[in-house]
Amino acid sequence: MRLGAIKEEGFSAQTVDFKKLTSGLTAEQWVTQNFNQLHPVNQWVLTELSQTTQTIDAALEEFRINDAAMALYQCTWAQVCDWYIEFSKEILKSNSKHEAETQITLLFVLESTLKLAHVFIPFITEEIFQHLPARVGVHQGDALMLQAYPKLTFKSDAAVAKIDLLSKNKKIKVI
């Protein structure tokens, strides 16, 4: 809901202008350029997603489709949905200086996850992709199947250690 204008009965979210937010860069370019300055939560999820991408690539090269799908499922469910979205809610509702970077990172993680999942569930990912907000590098109606497959190389051992400690202690407050 924090990625664009959502109009449901009784609810509307503020429109996010990602083209302005990223200064004309794609979400991937922006995240890559700013990775070392990102909040540890954002560095952590990008590191986790990068490791998962490498695991998926290795499994697909060896035709271990089940292992690739399971790696994606575990990352999406256990890292992104269980922890990252909860951590990002705290950042987004605090109106901190990390709000914009978290919105960009959320969009990038969602888009990258859709690209990874497209191998396994193409019709579902294509439909979701069509509803993502306007952003640099993607025009209205562009097909997900024509987007570049993610080659992620983000790594922050410090962020991983910090967030692992928080998640083991079941603490959500990250600001």
Side-chain angles (χ1 to χ4, degrees), residues 116-137:
L116 293 168
H118 195 69
V119 174
F120 309 104
I121 50 173
F123 298 109
I124 295 168
T125 54
E126 192 68 58
E127 180 66 25
I128 295 169
F129 184 78
Q130 296 305 316
H131 294 282
L132 292 180
R135 60 218 178 271
V136 175

Side-chain angles (χ1 to χ4, degrees), residues 101-151:
E101 80 178 50
T102 301
Q103 288 175 318
I104 296 166
T105 305
L106 274 164
L107 177 64
F108 178 71
V109 167
L110 177 57
E111 190 171 349
S112 296
T113 303
L114 289 173
K115 290 175 182 179
L116 293 168
H118 195 69
V119 174
F120 309 104
I121 50 173
F123 298 109
I124 295 168
T125 54
E126 192 68 58
E127 180 66 25
I128 295 169
F129 184 78
Q130 296 305 316
H131 294 282
L132 292 180
R135 60 218 178 271
V136 175
V138 180
H139 297 91
Q140 185 68 27
D142 282 358
L144 174 59
M145 70 178 183
L146 299 177
Q147 301 298 309
Y149 186 81
K151 297 290 182 195

